Amino acid sequence: MKRSSSGGVREHWEELVKTAAQVEASTLGAYEPARAGFTWEAARGELDGLPGGHGLNIAHEAVDRHAAGPRREHLALRWIGRHGDVRDFTYQALAEWSNRCAGALTVLGLRKGDVVAVLAGRIPELYIAALGILKAGGVFCPMFSAFGPEPVQARMRIARARVLVTTTSLYHRKVEPIRSDLPDLEHVLLVRDGDGPIDVPGAHDFGERLAAADTRFVIPPTDPEDPALLHFTSGTTGRPKGALHVHEAVVAHHVTGRLALDLHPDDVFWCTADPGWVTGTSYGIIAPLTNGVTSIVDEGDFDAERWYGILRDQRVTVWYTAPTAVRMMMKMGTALAQQYALPHLRFLASVGEPLNPEAVMWGVEAFGLPFHDNWWQTETGGIMIANFASMPIRPGSMGRPLPGIDVGIVRRTASGVEEIDDPDVEGELALRQGWPSMFRGYLHDEARYRACFAGGWYLTGDLARRDRDGYCWFVGRADDVIKSSGHLIGPFEVESALMEHPAVAEAGVIGKPDPVALEVVKAFVALKSGYAADEALRRSLLAFARQRLGAAVAPKEIDFLPTLPKTRSGKIMRRLLKARELGLPEGDLSTLEPL
Ligand code: ATP
Ligand code: MG
């Protein structure tokens, strides 16, 4: 599809149809046959397993098996530093560096199942550590580097981390103040990013330890059910939970990378997520490597021009990003995007929040390519629902379930759950239990874990509906849905309608208690530059929404905010908008992005 004026885009609003050539060239092929022919057992067969039948280890599948084969010299990871410096790692190099790290951890006495927390920006050592920890039998627990001491302490205590990998500067700023509250922490591996001695209890110099270690390492036998990853959720709805994943998850990382992100061996793939969140690990580390592609890592923070430059200069072919980033780029204007020639870019995907149809279509305006939304959670470990490269996109829909994934729309009942078979009826989104990357527990919260399952389903806490053709449509989180005068209103629908207004950059919608209607819809809106937050615009937005949504669903009130409160992983925190509106306690703010 070529870039076009917005007039042309509107013609494709209902559905973005794929050509036969696109279907054929995609890694999924035609959806129905691919789904019918899929088994997880066969998917497992796409991976090697550890030599000698010693089980399944994520890091072996990610790097060692490529290092031992024809992709040995293929570029696995290109790291771009904040100031533009570049470090390249072939599969062979990454295998050796991660071997050194695994060896160093083993020398320190790491035992199978020990949690190793990693607090670092997107530096090469983070990626080496992740793979080294997995090789050594540890559990990789990434922590977002912008967390303050409190959230670091809370997570490390829940995780009972014995080892921490971090940088000298992050240690001094974030860990030192809470060190006495971390009784389980024995070893700190410090990456030097400043001058000065490493005079910290239990400290070791990461660089020196790796330099002294062997480039060879034999991964000990790994049961597919051995714990591998501990990820904390985004904290959008409350206190973050620690979701535990096992090595078998790699089967899902691998096939979902191939099928939902359409990874082909020669792709240059860029996942913009930070490994502090599950996307940045499942698709920023594991899936691209198991698929043998070249993965781009940018240390820098979001900056539209920097990002366009990376897409162009690195010849990125597949780009996986998030709705907030897309909205920020939209805010900067289509003309800016169009200044960059991006002939290599062929597939755009997004996750993390509902992707407004406006954003899907903006991709066509700006890049000649639509964004493909997909849905999943920390708990699911990998993509579960997607708009595939081979499938017509319905803008605003999350797409259809991955092969091997059974989606149900269910209603909770006193005795369990009941499936809703009728199309277009809202209910809770559920997944049939048992896919490889399903989380195996919330750490130290067994009761909460068990409460997520009923009647063979994992209940996601999200509301959705499924249309006649099996496309799933996100309605809202169960906690965020608004009940107004007998209607159930999903905030996403209202936010998407507001986003269609040319002045609106972002919208967040809540239910505000009302004596008559139970709740009324209230919207918070951030404007694009050049628009004044005045009474005339407020009235115009109210009328615009009423015209699109009808009086029953449209917001009754609109407030302007310079920007909406978001988690550090980029999700609008509707619970905070609501708490502030109602003057209620603000709850856990450990993941709130500072303004
Ligand atoms: P917490 O569970 O701590 O409240 P969180 O649910 O935001 O935080 P994540 O696991 O990072 O933590 O996010 C998963 C959630 O993000 C999903 O349950 C869903 O609500 C939302 N989400 C992810 N992708 C999409 C999508 N494509 N469309 C709509 N919502 C999405
Ligand atoms: Mg959640």
Side-chain angles (χ1 to χ4, degrees), residues 233 237 241 377 379 442 460 477:
T233 59
T237 55
K241 298 149 277 191
Q377 307 177 306
E379 290 86 341
Y442 285 129
T460 68
R477 292 167 185 264

PDB file of all heavy atoms in Angstrom, residues 233 237 241 377 379 442 460 477, ligand 2:
ATOM      1  N   THR A 233       3.772  -6.960  36.570  1.00  0.00           N
ATOM      2  CA  THR A 233       2.769  -6.363  35.673  1.00  0.00           C
ATOM      3  C   THR A 233       2.910  -4.836  35.724  1.00  0.00           C
ATOM      4  O   THR A 233       3.642  -4.289  36.549  1.00  0.00           O
ATOM      5  CB  THR A 233       1.344  -6.771  36.084  1.00  0.00           C
ATOM      6  OG1 THR A 233       1.123  -6.327  37.432  1.00  0.00           O
ATOM      7  CG2 THR A 233       1.153  -8.286  36.007  1.00  0.00           C
ATOM      8  N   THR A 237      -3.938  -1.334  37.051  1.00  0.00           N
ATOM      9  CA  THR A 237      -5.169  -1.456  37.827  1.00  0.00           C
ATOM     10  C   THR A 237      -4.910  -1.535  39.327  1.00  0.00           C
ATOM     11  O   THR A 237      -5.859  -1.570  40.105  1.00  0.00           O
ATOM     12  CB  THR A 237      -5.951  -2.720  37.397  1.00  0.00           C
ATOM     13  OG1 THR A 237      -5.078  -3.858  37.513  1.00  0.00           O
ATOM     14  CG2 THR A 237      -6.415  -2.608  35.963  1.00  0.00           C
ATOM     15  N   LYS A 241       1.820  -7.212  40.111  1.00  0.00           N
ATOM     16  CA  LYS A 241       1.914  -8.612  40.531  1.00  0.00           C
ATOM     17  C   LYS A 241       3.128  -9.243  39.863  1.00  0.00           C
ATOM     18  O   LYS A 241       3.450  -8.896  38.724  1.00  0.00           O
ATOM     19  CB  LYS A 241       0.655  -9.359  40.062  1.00  0.00           C
ATOM     20  CG  LYS A 241      -0.631  -8.824  40.669  1.00  0.00           C
ATOM     21  CD  LYS A 241      -1.829  -8.981  39.731  1.00  0.00           C
ATOM     22  CE  LYS A 241      -1.902  -7.852  38.724  1.00  0.00           C
ATOM     23  NZ  LYS A 241      -3.118  -7.754  37.935  1.00  0.00           N
ATOM     24  N   GLN A 377      -0.887 -10.164  27.633  1.00  0.00           N
ATOM     25  CA  GLN A 377      -0.644  -9.640  28.988  1.00  0.00           C
ATOM     26  C   GLN A 377       0.655 -10.219  29.540  1.00  0.00           C
ATOM     27  O   GLN A 377       1.128 -11.240  29.041  1.00  0.00           O
ATOM     28  CB  GLN A 377      -1.734 -10.108  29.947  1.00  0.00           C
ATOM     29  CG  GLN A 377      -3.143  -9.857  29.556  1.00  0.00           C
ATOM     30  CD  GLN A 377      -4.094 -10.444  30.593  1.00  0.00           C
ATOM     31  OE1 GLN A 377      -4.010 -11.630  30.925  1.00  0.00           O
ATOM     32  NE2 GLN A 377      -4.996  -9.628  31.104  1.00  0.00           N
ATOM     33  N   GLU A 379       0.768 -11.946  32.036  1.00  0.00           N
ATOM     34  CA  GLU A 379       0.398 -13.295  32.447  1.00  0.00           C
ATOM     35  C   GLU A 379       0.428 -14.288  31.282  1.00  0.00           C
ATOM     36  O   GLU A 379       0.675 -15.473  31.473  1.00  0.00           O
ATOM     37  CB  GLU A 379      -1.007 -13.299  33.067  1.00  0.00           C
ATOM     38  CG  GLU A 379      -1.115 -12.614  34.425  1.00  0.00           C
ATOM     39  CD  GLU A 379      -1.340 -11.096  34.336  1.00  0.00           C
ATOM     40  OE1 GLU A 379      -1.066 -10.507  33.263  1.00  0.00           O
ATOM     41  OE2 GLU A 379      -1.773 -10.509  35.349  1.00  0.00           O
ATOM     42  N   TYR A 442       1.454 -16.243  40.467  1.00  0.00           N
ATOM     43  CA  TYR A 442       1.849 -14.924  40.951  1.00  0.00           C
ATOM     44  C   TYR A 442       2.723 -15.227  42.155  1.00  0.00           C
ATOM     45  O   TYR A 442       2.279 -15.919  43.088  1.00  0.00           O
ATOM     46  CB  TYR A 442       0.640 -14.108  41.413  1.00  0.00           C
ATOM     47  CG  TYR A 442      -0.234 -13.549  40.316  1.00  0.00           C
ATOM     48  CD1 TYR A 442      -1.610 -13.743  40.338  1.00  0.00           C
ATOM     49  CD2 TYR A 442       0.307 -12.780  39.286  1.00  0.00           C
ATOM     50  CE1 TYR A 442      -2.438 -13.204  39.355  1.00  0.00           C
ATOM     51  CE2 TYR A 442      -0.507 -12.237  38.302  1.00  0.00           C
ATOM     52  CZ  TYR A 442      -1.875 -12.455  38.339  1.00  0.00           C
ATOM     53  OH  TYR A 442      -2.666 -11.924  37.379  1.00  0.00           O
ATOM     54  N   THR A 460      -9.052 -13.230  31.935  1.00  0.00           N
ATOM     55  CA  THR A 460      -8.038 -12.187  31.741  1.00  0.00           C
ATOM     56  C   THR A 460      -8.312 -10.884  32.484  1.00  0.00           C
ATOM     57  O   THR A 460      -7.422 -10.048  32.595  1.00  0.00           O
ATOM     58  CB  THR A 460      -7.920 -11.830  30.246  1.00  0.00           C
ATOM     59  OG1 THR A 460      -9.138 -11.174  29.839  1.00  0.00           O
ATOM     60  CG2 THR A 460      -7.677 -13.052  29.387  1.00  0.00           C
ATOM     61  N   ARG A 477     -11.009  -2.731  30.408  1.00  0.00           N
ATOM     62  CA  ARG A 477     -10.710  -3.620  31.520  1.00  0.00           C
ATOM     63  C   ARG A 477     -11.978  -3.744  32.354  1.00  0.00           C
ATOM     64  O   ARG A 477     -12.737  -2.774  32.463  1.00  0.00           O
ATOM     65  CB  ARG A 477      -9.604  -3.019  32.359  1.00  0.00           C
ATOM     66  CG  ARG A 477      -8.299  -3.000  31.623  1.00  0.00           C
ATOM     67  CD  ARG A 477      -7.356  -2.119  32.377  1.00  0.00           C
ATOM     68  NE  ARG A 477      -6.127  -1.967  31.640  1.00  0.00           N
ATOM     69  CZ  ARG A 477      -5.039  -2.710  31.860  1.00  0.00           C
ATOM     70  NH1 ARG A 477      -5.048  -3.647  32.794  1.00  0.00           N
ATOM     71  NH2 ARG A 477      -3.956  -2.517  31.159  1.00  0.00           N
TER      72      ARG A 477
HETATM   73 MG    MG B   2      -3.172  -6.865  34.170  1.00  0.00          MG
END
